[in-house]
Amino acid sequence: WNDSLFRLFRACCVVASRLLLCMFLFRVAFTSLAADPSVVNLGQGFPDIPPPSYVKEALAKAVSVDRMNQYTRGFGHPPLVKALSQVYGHVYGRPIDPFKEVLVTVGGYGSLFSTMQGLVEEGDEVIIIEPFFDCYVPMVRMAGAKPVFIPLRLKSGKKSITSADWYLDPDELSSKFTSKTKAIIINTPNNPIGKILTRDELQMIADLCIKHDTLCFSDEVYEWLIYRGQQHVKIATLPGMWERTITIGSAGKTFSVTGWKLGWSIGPQHLIRHLQTVMQNTLYTCPTPLQEAVAQGLMLNMELIGQPECYFTSLAEELEGKRDRMAAIVQEAGMTPVIPEGGYFMLVDVSALNQDLSDMKTDDDDDEAYDYKFVKWMIKKKKLAAIPVTAFVSDQSTKDFEKYIRLCFIKVNKTLLLWLH
Amino acid sequence: MGILNHLAAQLALIRKISIRNHQTTMSRRIHARRTEGVDKNVWVEFTQLAAEYKAVNLGQGFPDFSPPQFITEAFCKAVSGGPPMHQYTRAFGHPALVQSLAKFFSRIVGHDIDPFEDILVTVGAYQALFCAFQALIDEGDEVIIVEPFFDCYQPMVVMAGGKAVYVPLRPKEGTAVLSSGDWVLSAEELASKITPHTKAIVINTPNNPLGKVYKREELQMIADLCIKHDLLCFSDEVYEWLTYDGAKHVKIASLPGMWERTVTIGSGGKTFSATGWKVGWAMGSGHILKYMKTIHQNSIYHCATAAQEAVAQGFEREHELFGTPQSYFQQLPAMLHHRREKLASSLKGVGLQPIMPEGGYFMITDISSIAVDFKDSDTKDENYDFRFVKWLIKEKGLATIPVSAFYSPEHSKEFDKYIRFCFVKENSTLDAAEEILKKWSQNESSH
C-alpha cells in the first residue's frame, strides 16, 4: 500500500488491531483541498447533472406515505428486491429469487463491505487488479486478509490510447492464484481507467476461479455506462460462475443519485445469506423511502428497455458526448486522454506537458509520486481538481501510473467549459 | 483429426466435471468465521411471523402513525433542493446536520461539542453501535452489558472478537414491582464483573425493553466504576426524549470525568418518529470518535444526504422551540403517555401485570398467571416466552416480542415469563389489541 499515503495522511489508528491496517482515504484530504469554491472539481466521482425528475418525485411521494417512513424488511424493501429481481432476471437470463439472492446495502460500498466481512477472513488472500477503487484494500485488510495485486498492463506502441489498450497478462494472473486465494475482485467497467473486461478476459478469470475453487466479487456499479460499440458482460453469466460470484450494483450510479447511497449484491443463496448475516449485525436495514423510490425508477425503466427514453441507455448516450468533449479539451491543453470504454472517468497522461513541479515538493516527502505533485500544482495554479491515479495502485506499480491523473466527466457542460476558460 | 477430436472430447469432459463439482457448494468453507453464531435474529423471525398471520402488531418498535408534518416537509424540501442534495455529502456527517446536533446537544451535555470532531453520523443508531464495537473492542476484551439489553449488543461484541459479561437489572425485593423504576442494578454485583480485561460497559437509557430511566445516582455509580477502572462507556440513548411521569433523562456523558470516555448514541428515527429514515449519530470526545470514523469510512463511507438535511432542519426547529409546548419533544411524550396508560389498562383489565415504563416505546408484562397449552411440539425446546409469543400470533392474531430475547443465554430462563409490547401506535391499533385481549379473557373465563 502506498507509502506516500501513509506519510501524507497519517491517520493510523491503534485502538483495535483491525484499525492498524486501515487508514484515511486520500479522498478525505483531497476533498478539503478542492472544496475551495474557485476550484473546478473534476476529481471526486459524482454527477453535477440533475437526476431524472421521476426518481425525485417518487422519493417525495414515498415520504408522504406513513408506512414508508418506518422500518422495512432488513435485507431489502420488498418492492425494491422484486424490481431488482425482475430487471436482473432479464439481464442475466435466469430467475433471481428476490428474498434469497438479493441483498440491499448502503451503496455499492456497503455491498463490498458485507461481502468482505461475510466471506473473507484471516489467512485468506484476495486478488485485486490494479488500478482499483481504493476502498478494496482497506476492506480486505479489515477482514484480516492479504491483498495480492496484479496490474493491468499497457500495450506498447500505440499513439492514441483507449482503455482497451490495457490488458491482463494470462500467465501473470495465473501465477497469483494460490491455495490461500479466497476471491478475486474485478471491477468492470473499471474505475479509474474505464476498461470493460471482454468476454474472453472474463472467461480467463472464470477458468482460474473454477480451477482454484475461488469466489469472484464483481463490482459492476458502472454497468449501464457503456459507450458505443462496447458490451458489458456479467461474469456471473458464464458457465459455472453463478454459484461463486457476488455481483454488485448501485442505485447511485444507475440513477445519478450518489447521495442516496443504495446498492445491492446479487448472487446464489449460499453466499448471499452470509452477507445478510453481516447486514443484520451492522446496520440492520436501509432507508425505506429511498428504496421505494429506486424500486419505482427501476420498474419504470424496465418497461422502457430498448426505447430511447430508457435511462439505462440514455445516460450513457449523454455521457458519451461529454466524454468526447473532455477528450478534446484535454488534447487542446497538450495532454493525452485515455478514452474510456465505460464508466464516467477518464485517465489523462500529463507527461507531455513536462511540467516543472519543483516548488510542489513537501517537507516530509521527496519521494512523493509525480501525479500527487501534479494534482496539487493543478489545484493551486490552474484551479482544477483531479485525482492522482497512483492512489488506485499498490507501491510496486506506482512508477507505471504516476504520469496519469483521473478526471470525472459526469458534469454539466458549464463545468467542463469553465475549465476550458 | 482423430487426435484433435479426442482432445476436444477430453476438454469437454473436464469442463463438464468441473462444472458439476462446483454446482454443489465449494469444497472449502466459504463464510468468514465472524458470521458464525450471529446468524439468528429475533426480528427477522418474528416480523415474518407477524406479517404471515396478519397480526395486530405491537411487536417491533416503530410507530404506526406518521412522523410530524414539519419533518416530512423538511424531507420534501431537501428532495427538491437541487443536485447537491442527491449527491455525496461529507462522509462523517452532512455539515448542516452535525452543526445543528452540536448546537442542540452542547447545552444539554454542558460541553462545547465540536461538530466536525465530536460527531459521527451513521445509518441509524444501529450502525453507530457497530462502529463503536468495531473501533474500540478487540479480541479478548470484555464488555459489560446490562440486561435486559437491545439484542444486537451481544452479536456485535462477538463479531468484534470480544466477550460479553452480563449484569442483570433485578426487581427490588420486598416491594410490589409495578414500575420500571423498581428494577435496579446492584453496585456490588456490577463491580464484581469488572476484570483487567474489561474495556467498556454498555448502558441503554431509557431502556429497551424494560423502559427504565436511570436516575442520576445510578449513573453516578456506573460513572465512578468507569473512572476507577478506566473503562469506556457506550450509552445508547435513542429514546432520550420519551420519558413519562416526570422522569428525567440524564446523560452520563454530562457527569464529571465522563465526556472523555463516553460514546453517546442517538437516533433521528426515534426522535422524529421516522424509523425508516435510518439517520443516527455517535457523539463523544474526538480522540475516541476518530477511530469510529475509520470504521465508518471503510464500511459505509457516506450516509444519504437528503435524510440528513431533513433531520438537521428538524433539530433547528426544536432548538428554537425547546421547552415550549410546541416542541415535538414535549408533544410526543405527552401523546405517548396516554397510549401507555391505555395499553396498561387493557392488560390489567384481563388480569395481566404490566410493568409501567418510565420511558421509551415499550412495556413488559408478566404472563406467568396465564396457563396455555401449546399444542405446537415444534417449539418445545424454546423458552416459554418464545413459545407463548408464537402461540399468541398464530392463535390470537396479536404480535409481541418475547423478553428473554433481551437476555444472555445464561440468564434467559430466569426471565422467560415476560413479553414486550410496543405502545407507540395509533389508538385504533391499541383498540384492536384490547379487543383481542378481552375476547381471549372472556373465552378463558367461560371455561
Side-chain angles (χ1 to χ4, degrees), chain A residues 18 69-71 109 213 258, chain B residues 27 87 134 270 275-276 297:
Chain A
R18 66 182 65 81
N69 291 302
Q70 308 304 335
Y71 293 131
Y109 213 96
D213 198 22
T258 61
Chain B
S27 51
Q87 307 307 333
Q134 286 285 309
K270 302 291 192 290
T275 61
Q297 88 190 14

Side-chain angles (χ1 to χ4, degrees), chain B residues 25-54:
Chain B
T25 48
M26 276 167 68
S27 51
R28 54 160 76 179
R29 180 172 44 84
I30 297 168
H31 61 274
R33 268 165 299 197
R34 68 178 70 79
T35 63
E36 283 170 9
V38 298
D39 49 335
K40 289 243 174 312
N41 184 283
V42 67
W43 309 108
V44 174
E45 193 183 356
F46 284 97
T47 306
Q48 246 172 268
L49 209 52
E52 211 180 303
Y53 285 85
K54 301 198 177 7

Side-chain angles (χ1 to χ4, degrees), chain A residues 56-77:
Chain A
K56 289 191 290 182
E57 281 157 20
L59 181 56
K61 213 171 107 216
V63 171
S64 67
V65 176
D66 284 357
R67 190 62 189 85
M68 293 294 148
N69 291 302
Q70 308 304 335
Y71 293 131
T72 184
R73 176 176 169 270
F75 305 140
H77 186 51

Side-chain angles (χ1 to χ4, degrees), chain B residues 122 139 367 425:
Chain B
T122 54
E139 291 271 339
I367 49 166
K425 304 288 176 188

Side-chain angles (χ1 to χ4, degrees), chain B residues 127-435:
Chain B
Q127 195 224 334
L129 287 162
F130 177 74
C131 287
F133 287 108
Q134 286 285 309
L136 304 168
I137 303 304
D138 219 340
E139 291 271 339
D141 284 345
E142 289 177 8
V143 178
I144 296 179
I145 297 177
V146 180
E147 306 184 278
F149 57 92
F150 180 51
D151 68 307
C152 81
Y153 304 159
Q154 183 261 344
M156 285 189 184
V157 169
V158 168
M159 244 178 102
K163 175 168 171 246
V165 171
Y166 302 96
V167 186
L169 287 163
R170 295 183 190 283
K172 260 191 234 165
E173 305 232 341
T175 56
V177 176
L178 299 171
S179 147
S180 58
D182 297 320
W183 290 60
V184 293
L185 201 54
S186 151
E188 291 77 39
E189 193 173 7
L190 177 56
S192 75
K193 302 287 183 170
I194 298 174
T195 75
H197 296 292
T198 309
K199 188 74 179 288
I201 173 168
V202 186
I203 64 171
N204 173 217
T205 179
N207 169 275
N208 172 8
L210 186 55
K212 177 180 177 63
V213 174
Y214 286 68
K215 300 186 182 45
R216 184 173 289 273
E217 314 81 80
E218 292 172 305
L219 294 174
Q220 190 60 64
M221 184 265 288
I222 296 169
D224 290 342
L225 285 167
C226 286
I227 291 166
K228 176 175 176 186
H229 297 275
D230 197 23
L231 307 179
L232 294 170
C233 180
F234 300 166
S235 185
D236 176 352
E237 301 181 15
V238 297
Y239 302 106
E240 58 187 307
W241 304 112
L242 299 180
T243 56
Y244 315 112
D245 297 334
K248 288 253 174 304
H249 174 72
V250 177
K251 286 182 162 315
I252 196 170
S254 65
L255 301 184
M258 288 306 285
W259 171 256
E260 304 80 82
R261 59 183 66 252
T262 305
V263 177
T264 303
I265 287 165
S267 159
K270 302 291 192 290
T271 296
F272 293 113
S273 308
T275 61
W277 290 16
K278 294 290 292 186
V279 176
W281 51 84
M283 230 174 266
S285 171
H287 81 282
I288 298 179
L289 263 285
K290 69 177 180 188
Y291 303 126
M292 293 176 56
K293 285 175 178 172
T294 298
I295 297 294
H296 177 76
Q297 88 190 14
N298 287 310
S299 55
I300 298 300
Y301 199 31
H302 298 91
C303 301
T305 312
Q308 292 188 67
E309 175 68 26
V311 173
Q313 295 307 317
F315 271 101
E316 287 298 310
R317 176 197 193 264
E318 289 302 309
H319 188 263
E320 299 299 306
L321 298 173
F322 192 68
T324 71
Q326 292 82 31
S327 159
Y328 190 65
F329 300 164
Q330 300 278 335
Q331 293 172 340
L332 183 63
M335 176 177 93
L336 293 183
H337 182 97
H338 294 298
R339 307 283 159 99
R340 186 189 69 142
E341 297 295 332
K342 187 180 168 70
L343 178 65
S345 79
S346 306
L347 293 170
K348 287 184 198 148
V350 298
L352 288 168
Q353 297 87 43
I355 294 165
M356 287 304 271
E358 300 154 280
Y361 267 21
F362 308 105
M363 177 181 294
I364 75 173
T365 298
D366 189 334
I367 49 166
S368 48
S369 59
I370 307 177
V372 173
D373 177 16
F374 303 131
K375 299 183 186 73
D376 183 2
S377 56
D378 280 348
T379 63
K380 70 173 161 49
D381 291 327
E382 294 181 5
N383 281 353
Y384 183 85
D385 56 347
F386 272 70
R387 304 186 74 192
F388 187 93
V389 166
K390 287 184 183 170
W391 174 85
L392 197 60
I393 292 174
K394 293 178 183 173
E395 301 300 324
K396 301 294 173 189
L398 180 61
T400 59
I401 299 287
V403 168
S404 68
F406 301 89
Y407 277 89
S408 58
E410 41 262 54
H411 296 140
S412 69
K413 288 250 179 295
E414 278 176 60
F415 295 95
D416 69 346
K417 298 294 194 302
Y418 297 95
I419 62 177
R420 185 194 83 170
F421 291 83
C422 175
F423 54 85
V424 181
K425 304 288 176 188
E426 292 277 32
N427 281 320
S428 54
T429 312
L430 298 174
D431 288 335
E434 186 169 30
E435 274 309 301

Side-chain angles (χ1 to χ4, degrees), chain A residues 13 15-19 22-25 27-28 45-47 49 51 56 59-60 63 66-67 69-71 106 109-110 113 116-121 138-139 142-143 179 181-182 203 207 210 212-215 239-240 243-244 253 256-261 270-271 274 277-278 280-285 287-290, chain B residues 15 18-19 22-23 25-35 38-41 43-44 60-67 72 75-76 79 83 86-88 92 123 126-127 130 133-138 155-156 159-161 199 270 273-278 290-291 293-295 297-305:
Chain A
C13 308
V15 181
S17 59
R18 66 182 65 81
L19 290 178
C22 301
M23 47 193 290
F24 275 122
L25 296 169
R27 271 181 277 139
V28 175
F46 59 82
I49 60 173
K56 289 191 290 182
L59 181 56
V63 171
D66 284 357
R67 190 62 189 85
N69 291 302
Q70 308 304 335
Y71 293 131
V106 179
Y109 213 96
F113 183 71
M116 301 287 185
Q117 289 285 308
L119 303 172
V120 175
E121 61 181 355
M139 284 192 185
M142 203 173 137
S179 59
T181 308
K182 189 69 177 286
Q203 188 61 65
D207 290 343
I210 290 167
H212 295 274
D213 198 22
T214 71
L215 297 171
E243 300 81 57
R244 58 183 66 250
K253 305 292 193 275
S256 309
V257 286
T258 61
W260 286 28
K261 287 292 296 194
H270 68 268
L271 297 182
H274 301 303
T277 299
V278 173
Q280 85 194 16
N281 290 305
T282 51
L283 51 101
Y284 193 73
T285 181
T288 315
L290 295 165
Chain B
R15 181 153 265 165
S18 69
I19 289 172
H22 59 62
Q23 241 152 24
T25 48
M26 276 167 68
S27 51
R28 54 160 76 179
R29 180 172 44 84
I30 297 168
H31 61 274
R33 268 165 299 197
R34 68 178 70 79
T35 63
V38 298
D39 49 335
K40 289 243 174 312
N41 184 283
W43 309 108
V44 174
Q60 197 184 4
F62 58 84
D64 65 3
F65 49 79
S66 50
T72 49
F75 200 117
C76 290
V79 169
H86 299 281
Q87 307 307 333
Y88 295 128
F92 304 134
V123 179
Y126 212 98
Q127 195 224 334
F130 177 74
F133 287 108
Q134 286 285 309
L136 304 168
I137 303 304
D138 219 340
M156 285 189 184
M159 244 178 102
K199 188 74 179 288
K270 302 291 192 290
S273 308
T275 61
W277 290 16
K278 294 290 292 186
K290 69 177 180 188
Y291 303 126
K293 285 175 178 172
T294 298
I295 297 294
Q297 88 190 14
N298 287 310
S299 55
I300 298 300
Y301 199 31
H302 298 91
C303 301
T305 312

